[in-house]
Amino acid sequence: MKNNTFGKIFKELRLEYGLTQRELGGKLGYCNQTISFWESGQREPDLDALVDIAEFFDVPVGVLLGLKN
């Protein structure tokens, strides 16, 4: 995820759902700083978090990784 594809897609989904970083963090069980780090590409979610995010947004993990539309 070096080109931050995940972060861009993750942020787009968050905005489509009309959520702030704090709101999304609360729903996923992470602090808003973690959400910010993921969106900016400073950090990447682990596999468990990636699955949680995919389930929350009801998208395949591949979509989050930029592999599928």
Side-chain angles (χ1 to χ4, degrees):
M1 289 190 259
K2 297 291 183 208
N3 62 4
N4 197 27
T5 299
F6 166 79
K8 293 172 187 172
I9 293 168
F10 182 56
K11 183 175 182 177
E12 287 174 13
L13 287 168
R14 176 180 64 78
L15 294 174
E16 282 179 24
Y17 275 64
L19 298 170
T20 65
Q21 290 178 342
R22 185 175 306 278
E23 290 168 336
L24 180 57
K27 292 178 181 295
L28 294 173
Y30 299 96
C31 70
N32 62 304
Q33 187 174 25
T34 299
I35 302 300
S36 176
F37 285 157
W38 289 344
E39 287 185 358
S40 68
Q42 291 179 287
R43 295 199 181 144
E44 298 174 346
D46 63 20
L47 186 56
D48 290 334
L50 198 58
V51 170
D52 290 343
I53 293 164
E55 288 177 351
F56 178 81
F57 287 118
D58 194 28
V59 297
V61 171
V63 167
L64 296 173
L65 301 177
L67 303 175
K68 298 179 181 179
N69 291 334

